[in-house]
Amino acid sequence: MAMRILIVEDEPGILNFLRQGLEEESYVIDTASDGNEGLEKALNSSWDLLLIDWMLPGISGMDVCRRFRAVDSQTPVIFLTARDTVQDTIMGLKAGANDYIRKPFSFDELLERIRVQFRSRESTSSDQLTLGPIRMDIHSHQVYRQNELISLTQKEFDLLEYLIRNKGKVCRRTSIIESVWDIHFEYNTGVIDVYINSLRKKLKLETEEDYIQTIRGVGYIAREL
């Protein structure tokens, strides 16, 4: 599945440069040009990484990071900034950033810093994912409910993996269709409902409140009961 990155940057030249370069690296990119828009997008979708400029119109990048960290402690955040003192670096890290890159920077350096964050996350992510009585073995590509082997199609498996890896976070329909189906244009997301219903039946989830819950008008959330 393609990695999804949100860029919050108010300088159009830098924003377009980053979008183009990262899309050429096969990342899925969305952007915001001020702090308020950036925070809204950060909180209302699922991301694999955030790139946030420190100085933004509206609320600052520091505040965006702090408020995002209040609800998401896992997604990597990299600050982009012209500020270059040791104290600034410490402040950024205390706000919850994972890394800090000073402007001007080379695109290759930024790309490697992004890859480091993804490698770090992958090294700590388990091949065994769980959701209540459901267990996924990513390596063997098998799913169990307690000790019963459940047969899933490839797309059902991918959808369940995406939901469990984002356990506790609301997965919006647009994020699901982009990440699981790799569709990046306007599309009828009703296909998601079909697959969710199929997953619930195969996993013997009795109601919409069992582990995979519906968020009306928004999407779905995998949640421990």
Side-chain angles (χ1 to χ4, degrees), residues 75-112:
T75 302
V77 175
I78 299 178
F79 268 132
L80 310 174
T81 181
R83 303 174 71 114
D84 60 1
T85 68
V86 172
Q87 189 60 35
D88 289 331
T89 303
I90 293 171
M91 288 174 60
L93 296 175
K94 283 185 175 180
N98 299 81
D99 201 358
Y100 185 107
I101 186 166
R102 296 180 178 89
K103 299 177 180 178
F105 52 84
S106 74
F107 182 74
D108 286 343
E109 179 186 3
L110 175 62
L111 197 58
E112 185 53 35

PDB file of all heavy atoms in Angstrom, residues 75-112:
ATOM      1  N   THR A  75       2.198   8.372  14.584  1.00  0.00           N
ATOM      2  CA  THR A  75       2.533   8.822  13.227  1.00  0.00           C
ATOM      3  C   THR A  75       3.739   9.747  13.258  1.00  0.00           C
ATOM      4  O   THR A  75       3.747  10.744  13.991  1.00  0.00           O
ATOM      5  CB  THR A  75       1.337   9.549  12.595  1.00  0.00           C
ATOM      6  OG1 THR A  75       0.218   8.660  12.568  1.00  0.00           O
ATOM      7  CG2 THR A  75       1.660   9.993  11.174  1.00  0.00           C
ATOM      8  N   PRO A  76       4.786   9.471  12.453  1.00  0.00           N
ATOM      9  CA  PRO A  76       5.976  10.332  12.451  1.00  0.00           C
ATOM     10  C   PRO A  76       5.674  11.743  11.979  1.00  0.00           C
ATOM     11  O   PRO A  76       4.866  11.957  11.073  1.00  0.00           O
ATOM     12  CB  PRO A  76       6.927   9.618  11.478  1.00  0.00           C
ATOM     13  CG  PRO A  76       6.421   8.215  11.373  1.00  0.00           C
ATOM     14  CD  PRO A  76       4.944   8.293  11.576  1.00  0.00           C
ATOM     15  N   VAL A  77       6.344  12.715  12.610  1.00  0.00           N
ATOM     16  CA  VAL A  77       6.242  14.125  12.236  1.00  0.00           C
ATOM     17  C   VAL A  77       7.645  14.672  12.011  1.00  0.00           C
ATOM     18  O   VAL A  77       8.527  14.497  12.865  1.00  0.00           O
ATOM     19  CB  VAL A  77       5.543  14.949  13.337  1.00  0.00           C
ATOM     20  CG1 VAL A  77       5.570  16.444  12.981  1.00  0.00           C
ATOM     21  CG2 VAL A  77       4.113  14.482  13.544  1.00  0.00           C
ATOM     22  N   ILE A  78       7.854  15.318  10.866  1.00  0.00           N
ATOM     23  CA  ILE A  78       9.120  15.985  10.574  1.00  0.00           C
ATOM     24  C   ILE A  78       8.848  17.477  10.413  1.00  0.00           C
ATOM     25  O   ILE A  78       7.985  17.871   9.626  1.00  0.00           O
ATOM     26  CB  ILE A  78       9.779  15.435   9.292  1.00  0.00           C
ATOM     27  CG1 ILE A  78      10.098  13.945   9.452  1.00  0.00           C
ATOM     28  CG2 ILE A  78      11.054  16.220   8.972  1.00  0.00           C
ATOM     29  CD1 ILE A  78      10.706  13.304   8.211  1.00  0.00           C
ATOM     30  N   PHE A  79       9.592  18.315  11.158  1.00  0.00           N
ATOM     31  CA  PHE A  79       9.481  19.758  11.015  1.00  0.00           C
ATOM     32  C   PHE A  79      10.374  20.253   9.875  1.00  0.00           C
ATOM     33  O   PHE A  79      11.516  19.791   9.714  1.00  0.00           O
ATOM     34  CB  PHE A  79       9.922  20.462  12.301  1.00  0.00           C
ATOM     35  CG  PHE A  79       8.821  20.732  13.275  1.00  0.00           C
ATOM     36  CD1 PHE A  79       8.969  20.420  14.607  1.00  0.00           C
ATOM     37  CD2 PHE A  79       7.631  21.318  12.862  1.00  0.00           C
ATOM     38  CE1 PHE A  79       7.964  20.668  15.523  1.00  0.00           C
ATOM     39  CE2 PHE A  79       6.601  21.568  13.760  1.00  0.00           C
ATOM     40  CZ  PHE A  79       6.773  21.244  15.093  1.00  0.00           C
ATOM     41  N   LEU A  80       9.853  21.216   9.104  1.00  0.00           N
ATOM     42  CA  LEU A  80      10.623  21.945   8.105  1.00  0.00           C
ATOM     43  C   LEU A  80      10.734  23.376   8.598  1.00  0.00           C
ATOM     44  O   LEU A  80       9.705  24.022   8.831  1.00  0.00           O
ATOM     45  CB  LEU A  80       9.906  21.928   6.749  1.00  0.00           C
ATOM     46  CG  LEU A  80       9.431  20.580   6.206  1.00  0.00           C
ATOM     47  CD1 LEU A  80       8.609  20.782   4.942  1.00  0.00           C
ATOM     48  CD2 LEU A  80      10.633  19.688   5.914  1.00  0.00           C
ATOM     49  N   THR A  81      11.949  23.889   8.773  1.00  0.00           N
ATOM     50  CA  THR A  81      12.060  25.225   9.353  1.00  0.00           C
ATOM     51  C   THR A  81      13.385  25.894   9.026  1.00  0.00           C
ATOM     52  O   THR A  81      14.392  25.226   8.795  1.00  0.00           O
ATOM     53  CB  THR A  81      11.893  25.167  10.884  1.00  0.00           C
ATOM     54  OG1 THR A  81      11.981  26.472  11.429  1.00  0.00           O
ATOM     55  CG2 THR A  81      12.949  24.276  11.511  1.00  0.00           C
ATOM     56  N   ALA A  82      13.333  27.231   9.022  1.00  0.00           N
ATOM     57  CA  ALA A  82      14.555  28.023   8.852  1.00  0.00           C
ATOM     58  C   ALA A  82      15.214  28.302  10.192  1.00  0.00           C
ATOM     59  O   ALA A  82      16.338  28.797  10.245  1.00  0.00           O
ATOM     60  CB  ALA A  82      14.225  29.335   8.145  1.00  0.00           C
ATOM     61  N   ARG A  83      14.541  28.002  11.283  1.00  0.00           N
ATOM     62  CA  ARG A  83      15.106  28.230  12.615  1.00  0.00           C
ATOM     63  C   ARG A  83      16.187  27.186  12.865  1.00  0.00           C
ATOM     64  O   ARG A  83      16.008  26.017  12.572  1.00  0.00           O
ATOM     65  CB  ARG A  83      14.008  28.158  13.672  1.00  0.00           C
ATOM     66  CG  ARG A  83      12.871  29.149  13.408  1.00  0.00           C
ATOM     67  CD  ARG A  83      11.734  28.946  14.381  1.00  0.00           C
ATOM     68  NE  ARG A  83      12.098  29.385  15.713  1.00  0.00           N
ATOM     69  CZ  ARG A  83      11.523  30.424  16.343  1.00  0.00           C
ATOM     70  NH1 ARG A  83      10.588  31.125  15.736  1.00  0.00           N
ATOM     71  NH2 ARG A  83      11.884  30.754  17.565  1.00  0.00           N
ATOM     72  N   ASP A  84      17.312  27.628  13.433  1.00  0.00           N
ATOM     73  CA  ASP A  84      18.453  26.709  13.447  1.00  0.00           C
ATOM     74  C   ASP A  84      19.233  26.672  14.756  1.00  0.00           C
ATOM     75  O   ASP A  84      20.361  26.197  14.795  1.00  0.00           O
ATOM     76  CB  ASP A  84      19.414  27.059  12.303  1.00  0.00           C
ATOM     77  CG  ASP A  84      19.958  28.485  12.397  1.00  0.00           C
ATOM     78  OD1 ASP A  84      19.599  29.197  13.355  1.00  0.00           O
ATOM     79  OD2 ASP A  84      20.743  28.871  11.511  1.00  0.00           O
ATOM     80  N   THR A  85      18.653  27.146  15.855  1.00  0.00           N
ATOM     81  CA  THR A  85      19.380  27.074  17.112  1.00  0.00           C
ATOM     82  C   THR A  85      19.108  25.737  17.803  1.00  0.00           C
ATOM     83  O   THR A  85      18.111  25.063  17.518  1.00  0.00           O
ATOM     84  CB  THR A  85      18.966  28.209  18.067  1.00  0.00           C
ATOM     85  OG1 THR A  85      17.612  27.991  18.492  1.00  0.00           O
ATOM     86  CG2 THR A  85      19.059  29.567  17.375  1.00  0.00           C
ATOM     87  N   VAL A  86      19.986  25.378  18.706  1.00  0.00           N
ATOM     88  CA  VAL A  86      19.807  24.149  19.477  1.00  0.00           C
ATOM     89  C   VAL A  86      18.504  24.210  20.266  1.00  0.00           C
ATOM     90  O   VAL A  86      17.769  23.224  20.362  1.00  0.00           O
ATOM     91  CB  VAL A  86      21.004  23.922  20.418  1.00  0.00           C
ATOM     92  CG1 VAL A  86      20.726  22.747  21.362  1.00  0.00           C
ATOM     93  CG2 VAL A  86      22.272  23.672  19.623  1.00  0.00           C
ATOM     94  N   GLN A  87      18.198  25.385  20.822  1.00  0.00           N
ATOM     95  CA  GLN A  87      16.973  25.544  21.599  1.00  0.00           C
ATOM     96  C   GLN A  87      15.740  25.307  20.733  1.00  0.00           C
ATOM     97  O   GLN A  87      14.758  24.692  21.179  1.00  0.00           O
ATOM     98  CB  GLN A  87      16.913  26.942  22.218  1.00  0.00           C
ATOM     99  CG  GLN A  87      15.770  27.121  23.212  1.00  0.00           C
ATOM    100  CD  GLN A  87      15.879  26.153  24.393  1.00  0.00           C
ATOM    101  OE1 GLN A  87      16.977  25.832  24.851  1.00  0.00           O
ATOM    102  NE2 GLN A  87      14.730  25.689  24.878  1.00  0.00           N
ATOM    103  N   ASP A  88      15.792  25.784  19.472  1.00  0.00           N
ATOM    104  CA  ASP A  88      14.676  25.540  18.560  1.00  0.00           C
ATOM    105  C   ASP A  88      14.492  24.049  18.325  1.00  0.00           C
ATOM    106  O   ASP A  88      13.356  23.542  18.292  1.00  0.00           O
ATOM    107  CB  ASP A  88      14.922  26.238  17.215  1.00  0.00           C
ATOM    108  CG  ASP A  88      14.811  27.751  17.315  1.00  0.00           C
ATOM    109  OD1 ASP A  88      14.059  28.223  18.181  1.00  0.00           O
ATOM    110  OD2 ASP A  88      15.469  28.448  16.532  1.00  0.00           O
ATOM    111  N   THR A  89      15.597  23.357  18.126  1.00  0.00           N
ATOM    112  CA  THR A  89      15.527  21.911  17.904  1.00  0.00           C
ATOM    113  C   THR A  89      14.897  21.213  19.101  1.00  0.00           C
ATOM    114  O   THR A  89      14.018  20.351  18.949  1.00  0.00           O
ATOM    115  CB  THR A  89      16.930  21.331  17.665  1.00  0.00           C
ATOM    116  OG1 THR A  89      17.533  21.991  16.556  1.00  0.00           O
ATOM    117  CG2 THR A  89      16.874  19.836  17.385  1.00  0.00           C
ATOM    118  N   ILE A  90      15.313  21.597  20.298  1.00  0.00           N
ATOM    119  CA  ILE A  90      14.772  20.995  21.514  1.00  0.00           C
ATOM    120  C   ILE A  90      13.276  21.272  21.625  1.00  0.00           C
ATOM    121  O   ILE A  90      12.483  20.382  21.955  1.00  0.00           O
ATOM    122  CB  ILE A  90      15.513  21.528  22.754  1.00  0.00           C
ATOM    123  CG1 ILE A  90      16.965  21.028  22.751  1.00  0.00           C
ATOM    124  CG2 ILE A  90      14.809  21.094  24.042  1.00  0.00           C
ATOM    125  CD1 ILE A  90      17.843  21.666  23.812  1.00  0.00           C
ATOM    126  N   MET A  91      12.876  22.508  21.319  1.00  0.00           N
ATOM    127  CA  MET A  91      11.455  22.857  21.384  1.00  0.00           C
ATOM    128  C   MET A  91      10.633  22.014  20.413  1.00  0.00           C
ATOM    129  O   MET A  91       9.541  21.544  20.740  1.00  0.00           O
ATOM    130  CB  MET A  91      11.270  24.344  21.061  1.00  0.00           C
ATOM    131  CG  MET A  91      11.737  25.285  22.156  1.00  0.00           C
ATOM    132  SD  MET A  91      11.653  27.021  21.621  1.00  0.00           S
ATOM    133  CE  MET A  91       9.906  27.182  21.263  1.00  0.00           C
ATOM    134  N   GLY A  92      11.165  21.824  19.200  1.00  0.00           N
ATOM    135  CA  GLY A  92      10.464  21.022  18.205  1.00  0.00           C
ATOM    136  C   GLY A  92      10.295  19.580  18.643  1.00  0.00           C
ATOM    137  O   GLY A  92       9.217  18.991  18.493  1.00  0.00           O
ATOM    138  N   LEU A  93      11.345  19.016  19.209  1.00  0.00           N
ATOM    139  CA  LEU A  93      11.282  17.629  19.664  1.00  0.00           C
ATOM    140  C   LEU A  93      10.339  17.488  20.860  1.00  0.00           C
ATOM    141  O   LEU A  93       9.602  16.506  20.969  1.00  0.00           O
ATOM    142  CB  LEU A  93      12.684  17.123  20.014  1.00  0.00           C
ATOM    143  CG  LEU A  93      13.666  17.045  18.835  1.00  0.00           C
ATOM    144  CD1 LEU A  93      15.055  16.658  19.326  1.00  0.00           C
ATOM    145  CD2 LEU A  93      13.177  16.055  17.788  1.00  0.00           C
ATOM    146  N   LYS A  94      10.341  18.466  21.750  1.00  0.00           N
ATOM    147  CA  LYS A  94       9.435  18.427  22.899  1.00  0.00           C
ATOM    148  C   LYS A  94       7.977  18.530  22.466  1.00  0.00           C
ATOM    149  O   LYS A  94       7.080  18.017  23.142  1.00  0.00           O
ATOM    150  CB  LYS A  94       9.777  19.551  23.878  1.00  0.00           C
ATOM    151  CG  LYS A  94      11.008  19.267  24.734  1.00  0.00           C
ATOM    152  CD  LYS A  94      11.212  20.361  25.768  1.00  0.00           C
ATOM    153  CE  LYS A  94      12.362  20.021  26.716  1.00  0.00           C
ATOM    154  NZ  LYS A  94      12.566  21.081  27.742  1.00  0.00           N
ATOM    155  N   ALA A  95       7.746  19.219  21.349  1.00  0.00           N
ATOM    156  CA  ALA A  95       6.377  19.341  20.832  1.00  0.00           C
ATOM    157  C   ALA A  95       5.872  18.031  20.254  1.00  0.00           C
ATOM    158  O   ALA A  95       4.683  17.883  20.001  1.00  0.00           O
ATOM    159  CB  ALA A  95       6.301  20.438  19.775  1.00  0.00           C
ATOM    160  N   GLY A  96       6.798  17.087  20.022  1.00  0.00           N
ATOM    161  CA  GLY A  96       6.383  15.777  19.533  1.00  0.00           C
ATOM    162  C   GLY A  96       6.934  15.396  18.182  1.00  0.00           C
ATOM    163  O   GLY A  96       6.587  14.341  17.645  1.00  0.00           O
ATOM    164  N   ALA A  97       7.820  16.236  17.607  1.00  0.00           N
ATOM    165  CA  ALA A  97       8.391  15.901  16.301  1.00  0.00           C
ATOM    166  C   ALA A  97       9.374  14.744  16.433  1.00  0.00           C
ATOM    167  O   ALA A  97      10.060  14.595  17.449  1.00  0.00           O
ATOM    168  CB  ALA A  97       9.093  17.116  15.707  1.00  0.00           C
ATOM    169  N   ASN A  98       9.439  13.926  15.391  1.00  0.00           N
ATOM    170  CA  ASN A  98      10.416  12.835  15.341  1.00  0.00           C
ATOM    171  C   ASN A  98      11.739  13.286  14.742  1.00  0.00           C
ATOM    172  O   ASN A  98      12.792  12.717  15.028  1.00  0.00           O
ATOM    173  CB  ASN A  98       9.874  11.673  14.500  1.00  0.00           C
ATOM    174  CG  ASN A  98       8.612  11.088  15.075  1.00  0.00           C
ATOM    175  OD1 ASN A  98       7.536  11.620  14.873  1.00  0.00           O
ATOM    176  ND2 ASN A  98       8.729   9.995  15.802  1.00  0.00           N
ATOM    177  N   ASP A  99      11.682  14.299  13.894  1.00  0.00           N
ATOM    178  CA  ASP A  99      12.890  14.784  13.222  1.00  0.00           C
ATOM    179  C   ASP A  99      12.678  16.244  12.859  1.00  0.00           C
ATOM    180  O   ASP A  99      11.563  16.775  12.948  1.00  0.00           O
ATOM    181  CB  ASP A  99      13.190  13.943  11.972  1.00  0.00           C
ATOM    182  CG  ASP A  99      14.642  14.041  11.518  1.00  0.00           C
ATOM    183  OD1 ASP A  99      15.423  14.802  12.151  1.00  0.00           O
ATOM    184  OD2 ASP A  99      14.992  13.377  10.539  1.00  0.00           O
ATOM    185  N   TYR A 100      13.768  16.868  12.373  1.00  0.00           N
ATOM    186  CA  TYR A 100      13.808  18.312  12.220  1.00  0.00           C
ATOM    187  C   TYR A 100      14.802  18.587  11.106  1.00  0.00           C
ATOM    188  O   TYR A 100      15.960  18.206  11.206  1.00  0.00           O
ATOM    189  CB  TYR A 100      14.308  18.868  13.560  1.00  0.00           C
ATOM    190  CG  TYR A 100      14.336  20.349  13.749  1.00  0.00           C
ATOM    191  CD1 TYR A 100      13.403  20.967  14.572  1.00  0.00           C
ATOM    192  CD2 TYR A 100      15.329  21.137  13.180  1.00  0.00           C
ATOM    193  CE1 TYR A 100      13.438  22.316  14.809  1.00  0.00           C
ATOM    194  CE2 TYR A 100      15.375  22.492  13.404  1.00  0.00           C
ATOM    195  CZ  TYR A 100      14.428  23.086  14.224  1.00  0.00           C
ATOM    196  OH  TYR A 100      14.470  24.434  14.462  1.00  0.00           O
ATOM    197  N   ILE A 101      14.353  19.204  10.020  1.00  0.00           N
ATOM    198  CA  ILE A 101      15.259  19.479   8.913  1.00  0.00           C
ATOM    199  C   ILE A 101      15.227  20.971   8.615  1.00  0.00           C
ATOM    200  O   ILE A 101      14.161  21.586   8.525  1.00  0.00           O
ATOM    201  CB  ILE A 101      14.907  18.647   7.662  1.00  0.00           C
ATOM    202  CG1 ILE A 101      15.951  18.835   6.574  1.00  0.00           C
ATOM    203  CG2 ILE A 101      13.510  18.937   7.147  1.00  0.00           C
ATOM    204  CD1 ILE A 101      15.861  17.802   5.460  1.00  0.00           C
ATOM    205  N   ARG A 102      16.423  21.560   8.493  1.00  0.00           N
ATOM    206  CA  ARG A 102      16.534  23.006   8.343  1.00  0.00           C
ATOM    207  C   ARG A 102      16.517  23.422   6.878  1.00  0.00           C
ATOM    208  O   ARG A 102      17.149  22.792   6.036  1.00  0.00           O
ATOM    209  CB  ARG A 102      17.816  23.512   9.007  1.00  0.00           C
ATOM    210  CG  ARG A 102      17.842  23.294  10.516  1.00  0.00           C
ATOM    211  CD  ARG A 102      19.134  23.812  11.134  1.00  0.00           C
ATOM    212  NE  ARG A 102      19.137  23.639  12.580  1.00  0.00           N
ATOM    213  CZ  ARG A 102      19.583  22.556  13.198  1.00  0.00           C
ATOM    214  NH1 ARG A 102      20.046  21.545  12.484  1.00  0.00           N
ATOM    215  NH2 ARG A 102      19.548  22.473  14.515  1.00  0.00           N
ATOM    216  N   LYS A 103      15.790  24.503   6.599  1.00  0.00           N
ATOM    217  CA  LYS A 103      15.796  25.099   5.260  1.00  0.00           C
ATOM    218  C   LYS A 103      17.052  25.965   5.107  1.00  0.00           C
ATOM    219  O   LYS A 103      17.464  26.614   6.071  1.00  0.00           O
ATOM    220  CB  LYS A 103      14.559  25.984   5.063  1.00  0.00           C
ATOM    221  CG  LYS A 103      13.233  25.251   5.168  1.00  0.00           C
ATOM    222  CD  LYS A 103      12.088  26.254   5.033  1.00  0.00           C
ATOM    223  CE  LYS A 103      10.733  25.585   5.131  1.00  0.00           C
ATOM    224  NZ  LYS A 103       9.624  26.572   5.041  1.00  0.00           N
ATOM    225  N   PRO A 104      17.623  26.029   3.913  1.00  0.00           N
ATOM    226  CA  PRO A 104      17.286  25.202   2.740  1.00  0.00           C
ATOM    227  C   PRO A 104      17.846  23.790   2.905  1.00  0.00           C
ATOM    228  O   PRO A 104      18.867  23.596   3.552  1.00  0.00           O
ATOM    229  CB  PRO A 104      17.973  25.941   1.598  1.00  0.00           C
ATOM    230  CG  PRO A 104      19.148  26.602   2.236  1.00  0.00           C
ATOM    231  CD  PRO A 104      18.714  26.974   3.635  1.00  0.00           C
ATOM    232  N   PHE A 105      17.190  22.813   2.326  1.00  0.00           N
ATOM    233  CA  PHE A 105      17.642  21.433   2.435  1.00  0.00           C
ATOM    234  C   PHE A 105      17.601  20.809   1.045  1.00  0.00           C
ATOM    235  O   PHE A 105      16.897  21.275   0.144  1.00  0.00           O
ATOM    236  CB  PHE A 105      16.741  20.634   3.386  1.00  0.00           C
ATOM    237  CG  PHE A 105      15.273  20.741   3.053  1.00  0.00           C
ATOM    238  CD1 PHE A 105      14.693  19.927   2.090  1.00  0.00           C
ATOM    239  CD2 PHE A 105      14.469  21.664   3.707  1.00  0.00           C
ATOM    240  CE1 PHE A 105      13.343  20.027   1.783  1.00  0.00           C
ATOM    241  CE2 PHE A 105      13.114  21.773   3.405  1.00  0.00           C
ATOM    242  CZ  PHE A 105      12.558  20.956   2.434  1.00  0.00           C
ATOM    243  N   SER A 106      18.357  19.740   0.876  1.00  0.00           N
ATOM    244  CA  SER A 106      18.323  19.018  -0.392  1.00  0.00           C
ATOM    245  C   SER A 106      17.161  18.025  -0.346  1.00  0.00           C
ATOM    246  O   SER A 106      16.845  17.479   0.718  1.00  0.00           O
ATOM    247  CB  SER A 106      19.637  18.279  -0.648  1.00  0.00           C
ATOM    248  OG  SER A 106      19.741  17.134   0.174  1.00  0.00           O
ATOM    249  N   PHE A 107      16.551  17.803  -1.484  1.00  0.00           N
ATOM    250  CA  PHE A 107      15.443  16.852  -1.536  1.00  0.00           C
ATOM    251  C   PHE A 107      15.917  15.452  -1.168  1.00  0.00           C
ATOM    252  O   PHE A 107      15.205  14.706  -0.499  1.00  0.00           O
ATOM    253  CB  PHE A 107      14.810  16.842  -2.926  1.00  0.00           C
ATOM    254  CG  PHE A 107      13.630  15.923  -3.030  1.00  0.00           C
ATOM    255  CD1 PHE A 107      12.414  16.262  -2.461  1.00  0.00           C
ATOM    256  CD2 PHE A 107      13.741  14.686  -3.675  1.00  0.00           C
ATOM    257  CE1 PHE A 107      11.322  15.399  -2.529  1.00  0.00           C
ATOM    258  CE2 PHE A 107      12.664  13.838  -3.753  1.00  0.00           C
ATOM    259  CZ  PHE A 107      11.450  14.187  -3.180  1.00  0.00           C
ATOM    260  N   ASP A 108      17.138  15.092  -1.586  1.00  0.00           N
ATOM    261  CA  ASP A 108      17.662  13.759  -1.269  1.00  0.00           C
ATOM    262  C   ASP A 108      17.791  13.562   0.235  1.00  0.00           C
ATOM    263  O   ASP A 108      17.526  12.469   0.751  1.00  0.00           O
ATOM    264  CB  ASP A 108      19.021  13.550  -1.941  1.00  0.00           C
ATOM    265  CG  ASP A 108      18.900  13.330  -3.432  1.00  0.00           C
ATOM    266  OD1 ASP A 108      17.787  13.014  -3.899  1.00  0.00           O
ATOM    267  OD2 ASP A 108      19.912  13.478  -4.146  1.00  0.00           O
ATOM    268  N   GLU A 109      18.196  14.624   0.946  1.00  0.00           N
ATOM    269  CA  GLU A 109      18.306  14.513   2.400  1.00  0.00           C
ATOM    270  C   GLU A 109      16.928  14.309   3.022  1.00  0.00           C
ATOM    271  O   GLU A 109      16.748  13.449   3.897  1.00  0.00           O
ATOM    272  CB  GLU A 109      18.949  15.765   2.996  1.00  0.00           C
ATOM    273  CG  GLU A 109      19.060  15.698   4.522  1.00  0.00           C
ATOM    274  CD  GLU A 109      19.558  16.993   5.143  1.00  0.00           C
ATOM    275  OE1 GLU A 109      19.766  17.971   4.403  1.00  0.00           O
ATOM    276  OE2 GLU A 109      19.715  17.003   6.382  1.00  0.00           O
ATOM    277  N   LEU A 110      15.954  15.096   2.571  1.00  0.00           N
ATOM    278  CA  LEU A 110      14.603  14.938   3.098  1.00  0.00           C
ATOM    279  C   LEU A 110      14.070  13.543   2.810  1.00  0.00           C
ATOM    280  O   LEU A 110      13.475  12.899   3.685  1.00  0.00           O
ATOM    281  CB  LEU A 110      13.672  15.978   2.477  1.00  0.00           C
ATOM    282  CG  LEU A 110      12.191  15.848   2.866  1.00  0.00           C
ATOM    283  CD1 LEU A 110      11.986  16.033   4.367  1.00  0.00           C
ATOM    284  CD2 LEU A 110      11.336  16.828   2.079  1.00  0.00           C
ATOM    285  N   LEU A 111      14.298  13.055   1.602  1.00  0.00           N
ATOM    286  CA  LEU A 111      13.803  11.736   1.215  1.00  0.00           C
ATOM    287  C   LEU A 111      14.387  10.661   2.121  1.00  0.00           C
ATOM    288  O   LEU A 111      13.679   9.746   2.561  1.00  0.00           O
ATOM    289  CB  LEU A 111      14.163  11.470  -0.246  1.00  0.00           C
ATOM    290  CG  LEU A 111      13.409  10.350  -0.960  1.00  0.00           C
ATOM    291  CD1 LEU A 111      11.908  10.599  -0.937  1.00  0.00           C
ATOM    292  CD2 LEU A 111      13.911  10.238  -2.396  1.00  0.00           C
ATOM    293  N   GLU A 112      15.658  10.774   2.444  1.00  0.00           N
ATOM    294  CA  GLU A 112      16.283   9.776   3.308  1.00  0.00           C
ATOM    295  C   GLU A 112      15.752   9.869   4.732  1.00  0.00           C
ATOM    296  O   GLU A 112      15.544   8.841   5.395  1.00  0.00           O
ATOM    297  CB  GLU A 112      17.804   9.949   3.315  1.00  0.00           C
ATOM    298  CG  GLU A 112      18.543   8.866   4.086  1.00  0.00           C
ATOM    299  CD  GLU A 112      18.184   7.445   3.637  1.00  0.00           C
ATOM    300  OE1 GLU A 112      17.946   7.226   2.432  1.00  0.00           O
ATOM    301  OE2 GLU A 112      18.138   6.548   4.514  1.00  0.00           O
TER     302      GLU A 112
END
